[in-house]
Amino acid sequence: MNHKRIALVTGANQGVGLQLTRELVADGVTVLLGSRNLARGEAAAQEIGPGAIPIQIDVTDLASIAAAAARIRDEFGRLDLLVNNAGISNTREGTVTMAEFATTSGASIVSLDEVRGIWETNVFGVLAVYQAMLPLLRLSSDARIVNVSSGVGSLGANADPSFPYRAIYAPGYAASKTALNGITLAMMIELENTAIKVNLVSPGFTSTALNNFEGVETLEEGSREVVRVARLGPDGPTNTFTQWDGQTIPW
Ligand code: NAP
């Protein structure tokens, strides 16, 4: 039996997922570094070192998710931490600046195919990974699920006209995070009489590919809350939705 903590981080070959993996590995956690493109995952894992183990997982592909779950069961026998981090902001080819994103994502003009594509990854992808990995989390004595959402998906925050990101609330990315919050609440309710903990978390507005590197926080700074929550031990809280530093986000 492997006594090291075993984690799976989806979308870990770059951005927040990569930063989280780096910090968990430094803590001594064995991290399955999820990547839809195995070569990119292998390159990222090599950069981090032996505690990072690349694993192919495309959250929109049920066969890929099932294969990842089977491999984790065979090689590790359980999962202690699942971080549903993979996400997309749009489905367009090439660079999309934040300004273009803001002017082309509105409810009256956004393409339905794009909305479906974003939701496929950010909402249904998380549900599919949850369903596949839950049996492995049930085999852990200290299991936690961390879903990476965004403050821009908060209905409570957006209900306030002074909320600074309100102008970008649209059916694609932001509403997909609202839906993710709903699905996470369903997980929390389903698991509340078990030992499995569930947390919802938002990184800061971080410079990553997701926002054309226009985010204002560095990868290290912007990932801090995700890292803090993923590190929580058996006595750490469950059912929270937070941003740095533990500040509650309204649902
Ligand atoms: P990122 O650098 O673009 O990373 C996103 C990761 O998700 C990449 O590894 C990407 O893989 C992966 N991914 C996309 N579709 C996938 C799929 N179908 N299956 C598996 N992996 C997939 O963006 P990030 O900013 O680190 O985003 C991480 C999470 O933080 C997302 O959930 C995002 O919504 C959330 N978030 C980010 C910010 C921010 O300011 N950056 C703010 C709030 C919330 P490829 O490399 O193959 O594309």
Side-chain angles (χ1 to χ4, degrees):
M1 182 55 117
N2 190 328
H3 295 291
K4 274 185 145 190
R5 200 156 167 75
I6 311 294
L8 168 65
V9 181
T10 64
N13 56 286
Q14 63 168 328
V16 172
L18 178 61
Q19 181 64 27
L20 171 64
T21 300
R22 198 179 278 130
E23 298 199 38
L24 289 176
V25 167
D27 289 347
V29 177
T30 296
V31 183
L32 293 147
L33 184 159
S35 182
R36 58 178 160 176
N37 176 303
L38 185 59
R40 286 203 285 263
E42 284 169 345
Q46 199 165 19
E47 187 202 299
I48 293 175
I53 299 170
I55 188 165
Q56 198 278 333
I57 180 165
D58 180 333
V59 304
T60 63
D61 177 350
L62 290 179
S64 150
I65 297 169
R71 181 177 160 199
I72 296 170
R73 180 181 290 273
D74 288 351
E75 290 184 24
F76 301 97
R78 67 171 201 280
L79 188 62
D80 301 308
L81 173 66
L82 168 63
V83 183
N84 285 304
N85 165 77
I88 57 172
S89 57
N90 65 80
T91 57
R92 302 174 213 172
E93 294 292 326
T95 303
V96 181
T97 66
M98 289 296 291
E100 275 163 30
F101 178 77
T103 54
T104 53
S105 302
S108 61
I109 49 171
V110 70
S111 118
L112 282 175
D113 282 347
E114 173 155 272
V115 175
R116 286 195 182 98
I118 296 168
W119 285 56
E120 199 59 57
T121 300
N122 296 2
V123 183
F124 302 118
V126 174
L127 186 58
V129 172
Y130 170 74
Q131 292 183 350
M133 299 300 162
L134 190 57
L136 294 170
L137 290 160
R138 289 192 194 279
L139 298 172
S140 166
S141 57
D142 174 16
R144 186 174 296 276
I145 299 168
V146 178
N147 287 347
V148 181
S149 184
S150 171
V152 305
S154 160
L155 289 177
N158 282 285
D160 175 356
S162 68
F163 181 58
Y165 298 106
R166 193 170 190 259
I168 60 160
Y169 195 87
Y173 180 72
S176 77
K177 292 300 189 180
T178 309
L180 171 61
N181 297 352
I183 282 184
T184 305
L185 183 59
M187 294 174 190
M188 289 170 171
I189 292 169
E190 182 169 49
L191 296 177
E192 66 194 355
N193 293 321
T194 76
I196 302 174
K197 303 196 168 55
V198 186
N199 304 89
L200 190 58
V201 68
S202 177
F205 182 34
T206 311
S207 172
T208 66
L210 187 95
N211 50 41
N212 189 38
F213 300 96
E214 293 178 49
V216 296
E217 296 193 34
T218 63
L219 203 48
E220 226 168 54
E221 284 288 303
S223 305
R224 285 191 305 170
E225 183 64 1
V226 182
V227 173
R228 187 188 72 80
V229 172
R231 275 180 172 155
L232 290 171
D235 299 328
T238 185
N239 298 359
T240 59
F241 181 20
T242 56
Q243 61 191 348
W244 186 256
D245 162 12
Q247 265 186 64
T248 293
I249 301 178
W251 287 77

